[in-house]
Amino acid sequence: MTAVHRVAVIAAPPVSMFNLAIPEMLFAKVETADGPGYETLICAPDPGPVATSGGLDLHVPHGLDAVAGADTVILAGSGQYDDPDPRILDVLRRAGADGRRIASICTGSFALAAAGLLDGRSATTYWAYRELLAERHPAVDLQDDVLFVQDGPLLTSSGYAAGIDLCLHIIRTDHGAAVANTVARLALVAPVRPGGQAQFTDTPLPPERGASFAATRAWAMEHLDRPLTLTDLARHAGVSVRTLSRRFHAETGVSPLQWLLHQRVERARELLETTTLPMDALARACGLGTADSLRQHLLRRTGLTPSAYRASFNRLPGPAPGRPRVRPLTPAAAAE
Protein backbone atom coordinates (compact mmCIF):
# COMPACT_ATOMS: atom_id res chain seq x y z
CA MET A 1 0.00 0.00 0.00
CA THR A 2 1.36 3.41 -0.99
CA ALA A 3 1.46 6.01 1.80
CA VAL A 4 -0.61 9.13 1.19
CA HIS A 5 1.41 12.28 0.52
CA ARG A 6 0.72 14.75 3.32
CA VAL A 7 0.56 18.48 2.59
CA ALA A 8 0.57 21.02 5.42
CA VAL A 9 -0.76 24.45 4.44
CA ILE A 10 0.21 27.19 6.89
CA ALA A 11 -2.36 29.93 7.45
CA ALA A 12 -0.58 33.03 8.75
CA PRO A 13 -3.24 35.57 9.84
CA PRO A 14 -4.69 37.54 8.20
CA VAL A 15 -4.58 34.77 5.58
CA SER A 16 -5.96 34.96 2.05
CA MET A 17 -8.99 32.66 1.82
CA PHE A 18 -8.37 32.15 -1.89
CA ASN A 19 -4.74 31.14 -1.32
CA LEU A 20 -5.84 28.77 1.41
CA ALA A 21 -8.49 27.07 -0.76
CA ILE A 22 -6.25 26.37 -3.77
CA PRO A 23 -4.18 23.43 -2.43
CA GLU A 24 -7.16 21.57 -0.96
CA MET A 25 -9.27 22.13 -4.07
CA LEU A 26 -6.66 20.69 -6.44
CA PHE A 27 -4.93 18.01 -4.35
CA ALA A 28 -8.31 16.56 -3.34
CA LYS A 29 -8.98 15.60 -6.98
CA VAL A 30 -6.11 13.06 -7.14
CA GLU A 31 -6.55 9.46 -6.00
CA THR A 32 -4.41 6.36 -6.19
CA ALA A 33 -5.69 2.79 -6.24
CA ASP A 34 -5.12 2.79 -2.47
CA GLY A 35 -7.10 5.95 -1.83
CA PRO A 36 -6.50 9.72 -1.90
CA GLY A 37 -3.21 10.79 -3.42
CA TYR A 38 -2.86 13.65 -0.94
CA GLU A 39 -3.95 14.53 2.55
CA THR A 40 -4.15 18.30 3.03
CA LEU A 41 -3.99 19.75 6.54
CA ILE A 42 -4.57 23.44 7.27
CA CYS A 43 -2.55 24.64 10.26
CA ALA A 44 -1.78 27.89 12.08
CA PRO A 45 0.43 29.12 14.93
CA ASP A 46 -2.70 29.33 17.09
CA PRO A 47 -5.36 26.80 16.00
CA GLY A 48 -8.98 27.85 16.24
CA PRO A 49 -10.39 31.08 14.78
CA VAL A 50 -7.91 32.61 12.33
CA ALA A 51 -8.46 36.04 10.79
CA THR A 52 -8.58 36.34 7.00
CA SER A 53 -7.71 39.27 4.78
CA GLY A 54 -11.40 39.50 3.87
CA GLY A 55 -12.44 40.31 7.43
CA LEU A 56 -13.85 36.88 8.28
CA ASP A 57 -12.57 34.27 10.72
CA LEU A 58 -11.87 30.68 9.67
CA HIS A 59 -11.64 27.75 12.05
CA VAL A 60 -8.23 26.12 11.57
CA PRO A 61 -8.08 22.77 13.38
CA HIS A 62 -4.34 22.10 13.47
CA GLY A 63 -1.33 23.77 15.06
CA LEU A 64 2.12 24.00 13.53
CA ASP A 65 2.98 20.55 14.85
CA ALA A 66 1.21 19.28 11.69
CA VAL A 67 4.23 20.48 9.68
CA ALA A 68 6.46 17.87 11.34
CA GLY A 69 4.65 15.01 9.58
CA ALA A 70 4.23 16.71 6.20
CA ASP A 71 5.96 15.76 2.96
CA THR A 72 5.18 19.15 1.42
CA VAL A 73 4.73 22.46 3.24
CA ILE A 74 2.85 25.34 1.59
CA LEU A 75 2.69 28.84 3.03
CA ALA A 76 -0.42 30.73 1.95
CA GLY A 77 -0.28 34.47 1.33
CA SER A 78 -0.94 36.73 4.28
CA GLY A 79 -1.61 40.40 4.84
CA GLN A 80 1.11 40.33 7.51
CA TYR A 81 3.83 39.51 5.02
CA ASP A 82 6.38 42.00 6.37
CA ASP A 83 6.52 40.61 9.92
CA PRO A 84 6.30 36.78 9.85
CA ASP A 85 5.47 34.97 13.08
CA PRO A 86 8.73 33.63 14.60
CA ARG A 87 6.99 30.29 15.21
CA ILE A 88 6.34 29.94 11.49
CA LEU A 89 9.95 30.80 10.68
CA ASP A 90 11.09 28.14 13.13
CA VAL A 91 9.02 25.33 11.57
CA LEU A 92 10.04 26.43 8.07
CA ARG A 93 13.72 26.24 8.99
CA ARG A 94 13.24 22.77 10.47
CA ALA A 95 11.36 21.59 7.38
CA GLY A 96 14.12 23.04 5.18
CA ALA A 97 16.80 21.29 7.21
CA ASP A 98 14.90 18.02 6.74
CA GLY A 99 14.97 18.52 2.97
CA ARG A 100 11.21 18.65 2.57
CA ARG A 101 9.49 20.36 -0.35
CA ILE A 102 8.40 23.86 0.68
CA ALA A 103 6.27 26.24 -1.40
CA SER A 104 4.70 29.65 -1.03
CA ILE A 105 1.75 31.32 -2.69
CA CYS A 106 1.73 35.08 -3.24
CA THR A 107 3.24 36.96 -0.26
CA GLY A 108 4.09 33.71 1.53
CA SER A 109 7.52 34.09 -0.06
CA PHE A 110 8.35 36.80 2.50
CA ALA A 111 8.33 34.22 5.29
CA LEU A 112 10.49 31.82 3.27
CA ALA A 113 12.95 34.64 2.67
CA ALA A 114 12.88 35.73 6.32
CA ALA A 115 13.64 32.13 7.33
CA GLY A 116 16.75 32.28 5.13
CA LEU A 117 15.51 29.49 2.86
CA LEU A 118 15.63 31.60 -0.32
CA ASP A 119 19.15 33.00 0.10
CA GLY A 120 21.04 32.39 -3.14
CA ARG A 121 17.97 30.81 -4.74
CA SER A 122 15.67 31.91 -7.54
CA ALA A 123 12.23 32.99 -6.34
CA THR A 124 9.27 35.20 -7.14
CA THR A 125 6.33 36.83 -5.37
CA TYR A 126 3.25 38.93 -6.10
CA TRP A 127 4.31 41.62 -8.57
CA ALA A 128 3.19 44.52 -6.38
CA TYR A 129 5.65 43.45 -3.65
CA ARG A 130 8.68 42.41 -5.72
CA GLU A 131 10.60 45.61 -5.08
CA LEU A 132 9.96 45.34 -1.34
CA LEU A 133 11.09 41.70 -1.26
CA ALA A 134 14.23 42.60 -3.21
CA GLU A 135 14.96 45.49 -0.84
CA ARG A 136 14.50 43.48 2.34
CA HIS A 137 16.12 40.26 1.14
CA PRO A 138 18.84 41.12 -1.40
CA ALA A 139 20.31 37.59 -1.22
CA VAL A 140 17.24 36.29 -3.07
CA ASP A 141 17.59 35.93 -6.86
CA LEU A 142 14.22 37.49 -7.64
CA GLN A 143 12.61 36.52 -10.96
CA ASP A 144 10.25 38.97 -12.62
CA ASP A 145 7.10 38.31 -14.63
CA VAL A 146 6.84 34.55 -14.14
CA LEU A 147 4.03 32.43 -12.73
CA PHE A 148 6.18 30.43 -10.35
CA VAL A 149 9.78 29.37 -9.82
CA GLN A 150 11.22 26.10 -8.57
CA ASP A 151 14.76 26.02 -7.26
CA GLY A 152 15.51 22.60 -5.81
CA PRO A 153 12.91 21.76 -3.12
CA LEU A 154 11.79 25.41 -2.83
CA LEU A 155 8.89 26.75 -4.91
CA THR A 156 7.46 30.27 -4.96
CA SER A 157 4.55 31.63 -6.96
CA SER A 158 3.41 35.10 -7.89
CA GLY A 159 -0.04 36.39 -6.96
CA TYR A 160 -3.31 34.58 -6.41
CA ALA A 161 -4.14 32.43 -9.45
CA ALA A 162 -0.48 31.56 -10.00
CA GLY A 163 -0.89 29.42 -6.89
CA ILE A 164 -3.08 27.20 -9.05
CA ASP A 165 -0.24 26.80 -11.54
CA LEU A 166 2.16 25.99 -8.70
CA CYS A 167 -0.10 23.29 -7.24
CA LEU A 168 -0.73 21.76 -10.67
CA HIS A 169 3.04 21.69 -11.18
CA ILE A 170 3.40 19.77 -7.90
CA ILE A 171 0.74 17.29 -9.03
CA ARG A 172 2.49 16.92 -12.37
CA THR A 173 5.83 16.32 -10.64
CA ASP A 174 4.29 13.63 -8.42
CA HIS A 175 1.81 12.01 -10.81
CA GLY A 176 2.52 13.12 -14.38
CA ALA A 177 1.15 15.55 -16.95
CA ALA A 178 -1.98 13.56 -17.78
CA VAL A 179 -3.23 13.57 -14.19
CA ALA A 180 -2.36 17.24 -13.68
CA ASN A 181 -4.11 18.29 -16.89
CA THR A 182 -7.18 16.24 -15.98
CA VAL A 183 -7.31 17.89 -12.56
CA ALA A 184 -7.08 21.26 -14.31
CA ARG A 185 -10.01 20.38 -16.57
CA LEU A 186 -12.12 19.15 -13.64
CA ALA A 187 -11.38 22.31 -11.68
CA LEU A 188 -12.22 24.43 -14.74
CA VAL A 189 -8.82 26.13 -14.82
CA ALA A 190 -6.11 26.46 -17.46
CA PRO A 191 -3.94 23.43 -18.27
CA VAL A 192 -0.54 23.04 -16.63
CA ARG A 193 1.66 26.04 -17.47
CA PRO A 194 5.37 25.85 -16.63
CA GLY A 195 6.55 28.77 -14.56
CA GLY A 196 10.33 28.64 -14.33
CA GLN A 197 11.85 25.36 -13.25
CA ALA A 198 15.41 24.79 -12.09
CA GLN A 199 15.45 21.17 -13.23
CA PHE A 200 14.44 21.96 -16.84
CA THR A 201 15.38 24.80 -19.16
CA ASP A 202 11.80 25.93 -19.66
CA THR A 203 11.05 29.42 -20.91
CA PRO A 204 8.01 30.25 -18.76
CA LEU A 205 4.87 31.83 -20.12
CA PRO A 206 4.18 35.22 -18.51
CA PRO A 207 0.92 35.59 -16.56
CA GLU A 208 -2.11 36.12 -18.82
CA ARG A 209 -3.49 39.64 -18.70
CA GLY A 210 -6.79 39.22 -20.53
CA ALA A 211 -9.37 36.73 -21.77
CA SER A 212 -10.82 38.13 -25.01
CA PHE A 213 -9.03 35.37 -26.96
CA ALA A 214 -9.62 32.65 -24.37
CA ALA A 215 -12.06 30.81 -26.64
CA THR A 216 -9.56 30.86 -29.50
CA ARG A 217 -6.81 29.55 -27.24
CA ALA A 218 -9.12 26.76 -26.06
CA TRP A 219 -10.00 25.93 -29.68
CA ALA A 220 -6.33 25.82 -30.63
CA MET A 221 -5.61 23.45 -27.72
CA GLU A 222 -8.18 21.05 -29.18
CA HIS A 223 -6.57 21.20 -32.63
CA LEU A 224 -2.85 21.09 -31.90
CA ASP A 225 -2.48 18.21 -34.38
CA ARG A 226 -3.39 20.61 -37.20
CA PRO A 227 -0.91 22.95 -38.94
CA LEU A 228 -2.52 26.05 -37.44
CA THR A 229 -1.54 29.41 -38.91
CA LEU A 230 -2.05 33.01 -37.85
CA THR A 231 -4.83 33.18 -40.43
CA ASP A 232 -6.58 30.18 -38.83
CA LEU A 233 -6.41 31.76 -35.38
CA ALA A 234 -7.54 35.17 -36.64
CA ARG A 235 -10.45 33.61 -38.53
CA HIS A 236 -11.62 31.79 -35.41
CA ALA A 237 -11.31 34.97 -33.32
CA GLY A 238 -13.09 37.03 -35.97
CA VAL A 239 -10.34 39.63 -36.25
CA SER A 240 -7.55 40.52 -38.65
CA VAL A 241 -4.14 38.87 -38.38
CA ARG A 242 -2.65 42.20 -37.34
CA THR A 243 -5.23 42.70 -34.57
CA LEU A 244 -4.80 39.11 -33.41
CA SER A 245 -1.02 39.46 -33.15
CA ARG A 246 -1.20 42.74 -31.26
CA ARG A 247 -3.93 41.80 -28.80
CA PHE A 248 -2.78 38.19 -28.31
CA HIS A 249 0.66 39.42 -27.28
CA ALA A 250 -0.90 41.99 -24.94
CA GLU A 251 -2.92 39.23 -23.24
CA THR A 252 -0.34 36.45 -23.04
CA GLY A 253 3.04 38.18 -23.24
CA VAL A 254 4.07 36.10 -26.26
CA SER A 255 3.16 35.97 -29.94
CA PRO A 256 0.45 33.54 -31.13
CA LEU A 257 3.01 31.28 -32.79
CA GLN A 258 5.26 31.25 -29.71
CA TRP A 259 2.24 30.32 -27.61
CA LEU A 260 1.31 27.54 -30.05
CA LEU A 261 4.83 26.10 -29.99
CA HIS A 262 4.82 26.13 -26.20
CA GLN A 263 1.52 24.22 -26.09
CA ARG A 264 2.72 21.71 -28.71
CA VAL A 265 5.81 20.88 -26.67
CA GLU A 266 3.70 20.52 -23.54
CA ARG A 267 1.36 18.14 -25.39
CA ALA A 268 4.38 16.17 -26.58
CA ARG A 269 5.58 15.81 -22.99
CA GLU A 270 2.17 14.54 -21.93
CA LEU A 271 2.07 11.99 -24.75
CA LEU A 272 5.60 10.80 -24.01
CA GLU A 273 4.55 10.21 -20.41
CA THR A 274 1.27 8.46 -21.14
CA THR A 275 1.51 6.64 -24.50
CA THR A 276 3.76 4.33 -26.49
CA LEU A 277 3.21 6.20 -29.76
CA PRO A 278 6.18 6.04 -32.16
CA MET A 279 8.05 9.33 -32.31
CA ASP A 280 6.84 10.31 -35.81
CA ALA A 281 3.20 9.63 -34.88
CA LEU A 282 3.62 11.48 -31.60
CA ALA A 283 5.15 14.47 -33.36
CA ARG A 284 2.21 14.60 -35.76
CA ALA A 285 -0.30 14.29 -32.90
CA CYS A 286 1.00 17.43 -31.22
CA GLY A 287 1.60 19.37 -34.43
CA LEU A 288 5.41 19.32 -34.41
CA GLY A 289 5.51 17.51 -37.74
CA THR A 290 8.44 15.10 -37.60
CA ALA A 291 10.46 13.17 -35.05
CA ASP A 292 13.44 15.42 -35.84
CA SER A 293 11.40 18.53 -35.07
CA LEU A 294 10.10 16.93 -31.87
CA ARG A 295 13.65 16.11 -30.80
CA GLN A 296 14.89 19.63 -31.52
CA HIS A 297 12.15 21.42 -29.58
CA LEU A 298 12.06 19.02 -26.62
CA LEU A 299 15.83 19.09 -26.27
CA ARG A 300 15.77 22.88 -26.21
CA ARG A 301 12.95 22.94 -23.65
CA THR A 302 13.95 20.14 -21.26
CA GLY A 303 17.54 19.21 -22.08
CA LEU A 304 16.35 15.66 -22.84
CA THR A 305 15.76 13.80 -26.09
CA PRO A 306 12.26 12.34 -26.56
CA SER A 307 13.48 8.81 -25.85
CA ALA A 308 15.33 9.95 -22.72
CA TYR A 309 12.30 11.92 -21.54
CA ARG A 310 10.03 8.89 -22.05
CA ALA A 311 12.45 6.63 -20.22
CA SER A 312 12.55 9.02 -17.27
CA PHE A 313 8.89 10.01 -17.01
CA ASN A 314 6.77 7.36 -18.73
CA ARG A 315 3.94 6.28 -16.43
CA LEU A 316 2.71 3.20 -18.28
CA PRO A 317 1.26 0.61 -17.80
CA GLY A 318 -2.21 1.67 -16.75
CA PRO A 319 -3.78 1.91 -13.31
CA ALA A 320 -2.10 -0.34 -10.79
CA PRO A 321 -1.67 -0.25 -7.01
CA GLY A 322 -0.38 3.17 -6.14
CA ARG A 323 -0.90 4.55 -9.67
CA PRO A 324 -2.69 7.93 -9.74
CA ARG A 325 -6.23 8.41 -10.86
CA VAL A 326 -8.47 11.44 -10.61
CA ARG A 327 -11.40 11.78 -8.27
CA PRO A 328 -14.52 12.78 -10.26
CA LEU A 329 -15.80 16.27 -9.62
CA THR A 330 -19.38 16.43 -8.37
CA PRO A 331 -21.81 18.87 -10.03
CA ALA A 332 -21.92 20.88 -6.80
CA ALA A 333 -18.14 21.15 -6.65
CA ALA A 334 -17.93 22.10 -10.32
CA ALA A 335 -20.20 25.04 -9.66
CA GLU A 336 -17.98 26.40 -6.90
Side-chain angles (χ1 to χ4, degrees):
M1 179 176 292
T2 303
V4 65
H5 186 106
R6 180 170 291 179
V7 179
V9 183
I10 300 176
V15 67
S16 162
M17 290 190 293
F18 183 64
N19 281 192
L20 206 56
I22 290 169
E24 193 282 330
M25 176 185 72
L26 297 177
F27 293 138
K29 305 297 184 291
V30 179
E31 287 189 339
T32 72
D34 297 322
Y38 297 93
E39 177 187 12
T40 304
L41 303 177
I42 310 298
C43 59
D46 298 302
V50 172
T52 72
S53 55
L56 301 176
D57 284 350
L58 293 177
H59 180 77
V60 176
H62 303 285
L64 293 178
D65 54 336
V67 174
D71 303 291
T72 296
V73 181
I74 298 178
L75 190 62
S78 168
Q80 195 176 350
Y81 56 87
D82 58 342
D83 186 23
D85 190 310
R87 293 171 292 178
I88 292 178
L89 300 184
D90 184 51
V91 298
L92 289 176
R93 292 185 183 112
R94 290 203 299 269
D98 291 340
R100 276 174 280 172
R101 182 167 58 191
I102 306 176
S104 67
I105 299 175
C106 196
T107 57
S109 54
F110 278 80
L112 297 189
L117 299 180
L118 298 181
D119 288 355
R121 293 186 181 272
S122 296
T124 192
T125 193
Y126 182 44
W127 65 267
Y129 300 107
R130 284 180 193 150
E131 289 187 7
L132 181 60
L133 182 63
E135 176 185 330
R136 296 195 176 181
H137 302 283
V140 179
D141 180 14
L142 197 59
Q143 304 294 303
D144 292 331
D145 206 22
V146 295
L147 295 170
F148 64 88
V149 175
Q150 177 170 0
D151 191 330
L154 278 295
L155 300 94
T156 52
S157 76
S158 54
Y160 297 106
I164 296 174
D165 296 286
L166 181 144
C167 290
L168 288 174
H169 169 70
I170 289 175
I171 294 172
R172 176 177 187 158
T173 299
D174 294 343
H175 297 302
V179 170
N181 283 333
T182 302
V183 169
R185 287 192 294 271
L186 292 175
L188 305 178
V189 297
V192 177
R193 298 183 292 172
Q197 307 170 36
Q199 71 270 36
F200 287 144
T201 56
D202 281 342
T203 300
L205 289 182
E208 292 181 0
R209 298 183 175 87
S212 64
F213 289 131
T216 295
R217 291 195 290 273
W219 173 80
M221 290 290 294
E222 295 175 357
H223 299 88
L224 290 178
D225 58 327
R226 299 183 184 181
L228 299 176
T229 65
L230 285 175
T231 301
D232 295 326
L233 296 174
R235 183 181 299 115
H236 183 275
V239 298
S240 68
V241 169
R242 183 175 180 179
T243 297
L244 172 83
S245 298
R246 175 174 51 82
R247 289 171 51 189
F248 197 103
H249 192 284
E251 286 189 11
T252 67
V254 293
S255 72
L257 295 183
Q258 287 174 320
W259 182 89
L260 266 178
L261 177 59
H262 182 94
Q263 303 303 336
R264 294 188 195 283
V265 175
E266 287 304 298
R267 180 64 54 80
R269 290 169 68 170
E270 179 176 341
L271 293 176
L272 285 167
E273 293 179 19
T274 60
T275 75
T276 57
L277 281 173
M279 296 306 174
D280 276 318
L282 191 147
R284 290 193 297 272
C286 58
L288 290 174
T290 66
D292 285 341
S293 178
L294 168 65
R295 177 186 175 89
Q296 173 188 346
H297 289 295
L298 194 72
L299 192 61
R300 181 180 301 132
R301 179 67 57 83
T302 70
L304 297 174
T305 65
S307 58
Y309 188 93
R310 173 171 275 170
S312 297
F313 299 104
N314 186 273
R315 296 178 182 272
L316 296 175
R323 186 159 298 280
R325 297 177 307 182
V326 177
R327 178 179 298 168
L329 195 63
T330 64
E336 293 179 352

